[in-house]
Each structure stands twice: as structure tokens, then as C-alpha cells.
Amino acid sequence: MAIHVLLASSALKTVSVTGLWLIPLLLGAFTYHNYNSYDPEAKVHDKEPRKEYDFIVVGGGSAGAVVANRLTEISGWNVLLLETGPDENEITDVPSLAGYLQLTKLDWQYKTEPTEYACLGFKKHRCSWPRGKVLGGSSALNYMIYVRGNRLDFDHWESLGNPGWSYENVLPYFKKSEDNRNPYLSNNKYHGRGGYLTVQEAPWRTPLVAAFVESGVELGYENRDINGEVQTGFMIAQGTIRRGSRCSTAKAFLRPVRTRPNLDISLNSQATRVLINPVTLKAFGVEYVKHGVKKVVYARKEIILSAGAINSPQILMLSGIGPKDHLRNVGIRVLKDLPVGENLQDHLGVGGLTFLVDKPVSIVQNRFQAFPVTMNYVVNERGPMTVLGGLEGVAFVNTKYANSSGLWPDIQFHMAPASFSSDNGQIVRKILGLTDELYDTVFKPIANKDAWTIMPLLLRPNTRGYVRLKSSNPFDYPIMNPKYLEDSLDVKRLVEGIKIAMQVANGTPFKQFGSRLYMKPLPNCKKYTFMSDEYIECQVRTITMTIYHQSGTAKMGPSWDPGAVVDPKLRVHGVEGLRVIDASIMPTIVSGNTNAAVIMIGEKGSDMIKQDWLNR
């Protein structure tokens, strides 16, 4: 501060020569500079890394941002965070514009391998897999839904040989991050206040979401906090938003601590491999490329991979850790034979289940005039632009295949007050990659008409896919095959999920809007009776949508588990000084949107690092 005052004093002496009219300008600049220094939401500083740090965190996404924050709480530790992408921009802040971020430089723009089992309505039978290539990772691109998963998910993790990962063990870490600003949850023992991550409902909603919740109650489900004691039920969605804007992990965990002297953040820095001593199997550095220049940085204590369920296994394999036969096939020296890239899981949903309404109660692009809607958002932090990527309601329901207790639902619903063509074909069809025939035949006729959608998604798929290297070139995108719908039970669960969705849509609360099913058959499913089981299965395989929840590719498990890559402390088996802390470590995917669980993994992983090093 003293330096700032001296600079300002010198500047004021200078302007006495040129004119007093410059004084207000300089005072304004001085004030802004000081405000920006202490603003907890100001952008981070992109720094050129030094040669050595105590810890190197690779990936500034949902987990990596948390890890970098928590490790730098120890003032004697210095930490480098390497992020492949740039910082967020103004568009990432706007919840309703989440879809506009896909297919941009902030998105890896991945595609799955072609398949004959799923994604049949998409170009070349390939599903789009958006992943965040930006500070904040996929938390800067996602639809911000805050769902933790089911308590039985975590108890199951512990039963697989992972002590310390039961629901009772992980709940404190969910609460530690959270700053829940919904008054009706403020005194709830399942929620936290005062954490870095703001959670609340969107300040604007359509009447359709109220009908959605009421219709669920009419079916016998409760309107409840799905992040509380019991998950099964219906709820207006909670989201990671703050004052009507997205609250990514970059905004929540990195911006408030960006001035810590022991934290360096290097943007546009893509890690290409971890350096590992081939004799001792100790990780000691990271090779990365920044602005086209290859560089190396060294770690005194540990390297933490938090690059996500696609890039963390890719980096591990490029570093010589992975399935030995595969590594040899792509010309990489094998340092440790581990099943890296296996066990890939994702939540897949079924799109296109659309209902028309007679009243102007949905989100239709032509209805909202850009200027007043934007001004309402900018000035009041309210209006349609605060909707969580277009989603308003969530529910967890049980099909006939679900756990008999009813406490571990197998289907989740996302409810949206719009259709695939509510934007008149401008964005949604492109980011999904819908074929022209499918869009023009089915969705174009209802462009800009009032409609709403239920998307059923499968919570715990039986299939397991894989991530593999295309080559030894770190800039070649990896091969991603989720093996969607190759298990018949996965298909049957989704068929039943659509039947339950139809019951919800036919409920009394929707009758006031004249809601009815849009009955235009999909071109490739016309041979089946409309909405028969055969037709529904065809729809499931045609409009198969990722929910962007890839996980499991560096599975956590004990040493006796042949599928495990990391141990219960997230240390890579057989390699010293290397951990994975992100969605990759999930033994089984959690039952719900994964972002909250990944943030929890970041919190718990950071604590385990502290315990290991501070107790030495």
C-alpha cells in the first residue's frame, strides 16, 4: 500500500505541470487499482513458473482449483497450478448461455467413437463430449446443477476396500465447501454456510417447474432436499450460482486467494507428461508447453493430476503409466503397468421427450427482447438469463429395476422449460450434432413454440468404457469409447424412466397449461408403434445424450483390486510422489450430477496430502 501511495504522490506532482484536470482521472485509476487488488472476484494473474515448487497441480478445474486453494493455506508450501486454457470471460458468467460456450476455444470439443448402439441421431453416430479447457474446467461450462449423489454411493465405495470414503466421512467435506444461501436450508445439518462455493436456486423460474414438482408429489414422491437425508423425490434445482451469475471453482476457490505469495497460476500451459525416475519410480517434475515452447518444472514433494477423467489418464499413459500392451503399441516405454483409462463411466440421458403447451410460459428465444432481458440481468441480477443452463427441476425416481429399498433411485430427471428448437435452431442442434434429417423432420416444425422437456438419465450404468491414446503425441486427442447401451439392462431402465416421465407430464398440475406430448415420430423409429417399448428403445438409442459426467478412469481401490490405479489416499499404486484427485478416481459413478462430488474429492484429497506431510 505504501508503494501505491508513493506512486500516486509522484504522479500528482507530475500532473501539476500538465494540468489539474488529470487529477480526477489519476485518482480514479488509483482507486480502481486498489479495488481490483482486493476484489475477491477479480481475475487471476498468469505467472511464468519458477523452476521448482513443493507441489504441482495439473489442471485448474473442479478439483484442481480446490487443491491449489487448500494446499496454499500452509504458508510454508509453494504451489504451482498449470491450466491448459485461459481464464474465464464474461460469457461464462451468464448461466443461461452455458450452451454458447461449447464448440469454442474454452471447450476441448471431444467426440466419442462411432457406435451402432447409441448416438444414432447424431452426425457420424458420435456423441459430443464438451469438457472445460479453461480455468475452472468443466465447472465453467456445465449447467451448474448442485447434486451430491446418494449416500449409498459413498458407502459402496468404502465397501470396495476404500476406508474413509463412506457417506459419514465425506459429508463434512461437502459442507466445508458450501455456502448455501437458500433460507429454508440454512439450519439443515446436511448443508454448510460460509464456504467458498455459493449454492442457491436461480432467482427466476417459469411456472412449469412448480407443476413438475407438484406432479411428482401427485405420483407419490416427496418434494424434498435431494441433497439431504433421502435422495428420492422432486425439487427445484439448486445450482452453483452467486447473485444470478455462475460460481465456477475458479471464481469460488482461486480468485479470492490469487494474491497468496505461495500460489502461482500458469494459464495456457498444457502438461504433456509427468517426469518419473525409471529406477525409483518417483515422480519429480512435469513437462508442459506454453505458447508453443516446451518447458519443465520440478516438484519437491508431490505432483497432483486434476486434469479430469479424460486428460488425467491421457497424461498418465503419456508418462509410461498404463496398460503395458497398449503403451507398447503406441511406442511409450512402460514404467508401471496399471489399468489406466479403463472403467470409464458416464451418465447418459434421453433427449427429445417434448411437450407442447398453449400458454406463453416457457423459454422461447423470439419472445425475449435482448436489451431489456440483458439489462434486467446486469442491473438486477434476475430474469431468464439466470436460469441454470436452461434447466429448472430435478428428480430422482425408481423404476421396477431399482433397489428394493427405494432409497437408491436408478433414474434422474432434468426438467427444462424449452425444447431442442426453442432457440430456432441456432445453438442446441449444433452443440449436440443432430443430423439435419432428424432436426428438420422433428424439431424444426415446433421452432419458437412454447414447449417443455423431461430428460431421463441413467444413474448407474452397467457398461464400462475406456480412454486410450491415439498415439504418443500429447496433442492428439485420445480415443474415447463409453460403450453406451451395450448392456440391455441399461436400455430397459431408460425405457422405464421414460414411462415414469410420461406419468409426470400427464399429471393434473400440467393441465392448466394445455400440456400434451409432441407426437412427431423420429424418422428412424417410424416402423414401431409410437411410444411402444420398441419405439422408446429406438428413441433411447437415437437421441443418446451425455450429461457430461465422465468418471472412473483412474479407479480408486486397494492394492488387491486388479482394476485400481490409485489407493484410498489417491496415490498412484507403485509410484511415489504422484496422486490423482478428480472424477477419474471414482470406483463407481455417483448417482447424480458429478461436479459437487468432484469438489468434495478435491477437499478430501487436499486434507490427505496435509495429513501425510504435516505428520511426518
Side-chain angles (χ1 to χ4, degrees), residues 153-269:
D153 297 329
F154 306 107
D155 291 344
H156 179 58
W157 287 7
E158 185 169 66
S159 74
L160 295 174
N162 298 298
W165 287 91
S166 71
Y167 178 72
E168 294 302 323
N169 291 134
V170 302
L171 178 60
Y173 291 105
F174 281 114
K175 295 171 66 175
K176 180 180 181 179
S177 290
E178 187 181 17
D179 180 24
N180 197 298
R181 297 186 180 181
N182 284 313
Y184 68 94
L185 295 176
S186 59
N187 296 318
N188 187 318
K189 68 177 182 178
Y190 295 98
H191 290 280
R193 294 294 301 272
Y196 283 104
L197 184 72
T198 306
V199 177
Q200 59 187 113
E201 295 172 0
W204 184 93
R205 66 180 70 102
T206 72
L208 289 166
V209 68
F212 171 74
V213 174
E214 290 165 9
S215 191
V217 172
E218 187 176 80
L219 275 180
Y221 289 94
E222 287 193 34
N223 173 15
R224 61 157 41 103
D225 172 18
I226 49 87
N227 291 312
E229 183 177 6
V230 176
Q231 185 184 50
T232 313
F234 283 63
M235 186 184 192
I236 292 173
Q238 301 255 299
T240 50
I241 59 171
R242 178 186 297 163
R243 300 188 307 276
S245 296
R246 177 191 295 274
C247 185
S248 69
T249 54
K251 179 185 287 187
F253 291 92
L254 292 178
R255 295 187 194 176
V257 302
R258 72 194 184 284
T259 59
R260 283 180 182 169
N262 58 336
L263 172 62
D264 285 354
I265 299 173
S266 182
L267 302 174
N268 304 298
S269 305

Side-chain angles (χ1 to χ4, degrees), residues 257-331:
V257 302
R258 72 194 184 284
T259 59
R260 283 180 182 169
N262 58 336
L263 172 62
D264 285 354
I265 299 173
S266 182
L267 302 174
N268 304 298
S269 305
Q270 181 170 346
T272 54
R273 67 184 175 117
V274 177
L275 303 177
I276 300 169
N277 185 308
V279 177
T280 63
L281 289 186
K282 183 182 188 317
F284 63 88
V286 176
E287 182 182 273
Y288 68 100
V289 174
K290 182 169 185 175
H291 303 314
V293 180
K294 183 187 293 187
K295 303 183 180 184
V296 172
V297 62
Y298 299 99
R300 283 185 288 266
K301 290 183 169 65
E302 287 193 29
I303 296 159
I304 299 101
L305 292 183
S306 298
I310 307 302
N311 297 103
S312 283
Q314 180 189 25
I315 295 170
L316 284 171
M317 289 187 281
L318 289 168
S319 308
I321 302 171
K324 60 183 180 182
D325 292 339
H326 173 55
L327 295 186
R328 287 170 181 155
N329 286 340
V330 294

Side-chain angles (χ1 to χ4, degrees), residues 433-614:
L434 294 174
T435 65
D436 292 340
E437 180 191 20
L438 177 58
Y439 181 82
D440 292 342
T441 302
V442 179
F443 299 108
K444 189 174 182 178
I446 58 169
N448 278 311
K449 290 190 176 181
D450 279 282
W452 66 282
T453 304
I454 295 181
M455 181 190 298
L457 61 97
L458 181 65
L459 288 173
R460 292 179 300 281
N462 281 350
T463 54
R464 297 292 185 271
Y466 58 80
V467 173
R468 304 233 170 100
L469 295 179
K470 189 172 294 182
S471 73
S472 59
N473 184 345
F475 299 101
D476 282 347
Y477 278 5
I479 297 168
M480 294 155 280
N481 187 349
K483 296 191 175 182
Y484 285 151
L485 304 178
E486 292 189 20
D487 184 284
S488 60
L489 183 57
D490 288 352
V491 179
K492 291 176 181 177
R493 288 181 190 271
L494 283 167
V495 169
E496 292 301 312
I498 286 183
K499 292 178 182 179
I500 298 172
M502 287 297 302
Q503 295 177 40
V504 174
N506 290 331
T508 305
F510 282 109
K511 296 189 184 304
Q512 61 183 308
F513 307 113
S515 178
R516 71 268 183 200
L517 178 65
Y518 177 51
M519 300 180 67
K520 185 74 172 180
L522 306 181
N524 61 315
C525 303
K526 288 192 295 186
K527 57 187 175 183
Y528 303 113
T529 302
F530 188 69
M531 294 310 287
S532 65
D533 282 13
E534 294 79 9
Y535 178 89
I536 295 175
E537 177 176 340
C538 183
Q539 179 167 347
V540 167
R541 295 189 183 278
T542 300
I543 311 183
T544 317
M545 297 176 58
T546 177
I547 311 299
Y548 321 130
H549 297 163
Q550 294 82 14
S551 57
T553 48
K555 179 186 176 186
M556 173 176 64
S559 58
W560 47 259
D561 181 352
V565 174
V566 300
D567 68 12
K569 287 194 171 184
L570 310 186
R571 300 171 297 197
V572 175
H573 282 296
V575 180
E576 185 183 349
L578 180 61
R579 299 192 203 222
V580 180
I581 303 181
D582 59 26
S584 306
I585 67 94
M586 293 185 185
T588 53
I589 193 169
V590 294
S591 304
N593 306 66
T594 51
N595 189 243
V598 173
I599 292 170
M600 175 277 292
I601 291 168
E603 291 280 20
K604 184 170 172 60
S606 302
D607 249 18
M608 290 189 290
I609 293 172
K610 289 178 179 178
Q611 290 163 11
D612 284 353
W613 286 95
L614 295 178

Side-chain angles (χ1 to χ4, degrees), residues 45-60 64 67-68 71-72 77-83 262-267 269 286 288 290 296-299 302-304:
H45 306 295
D46 180 13
K47 296 183 180 178
E48 191 62 32
R50 303 193 299 271
K51 291 298 291 181
E52 191 176 53
Y53 292 83
D54 291 308
F55 297 92
I56 301 170
V57 182
V58 178
V67 175
L71 293 186
T72 51
W77 290 350
N78 54 69
V79 176
L80 171 66
L81 176 62
L82 291 173
E83 168 54 44
N262 58 336
L263 172 62
D264 285 354
I265 299 173
S266 182
L267 302 174
S269 305
V286 176
Y288 68 100
K290 182 169 185 175
V296 172
V297 62
Y298 299 99
E302 287 193 29
I303 296 159
I304 299 101

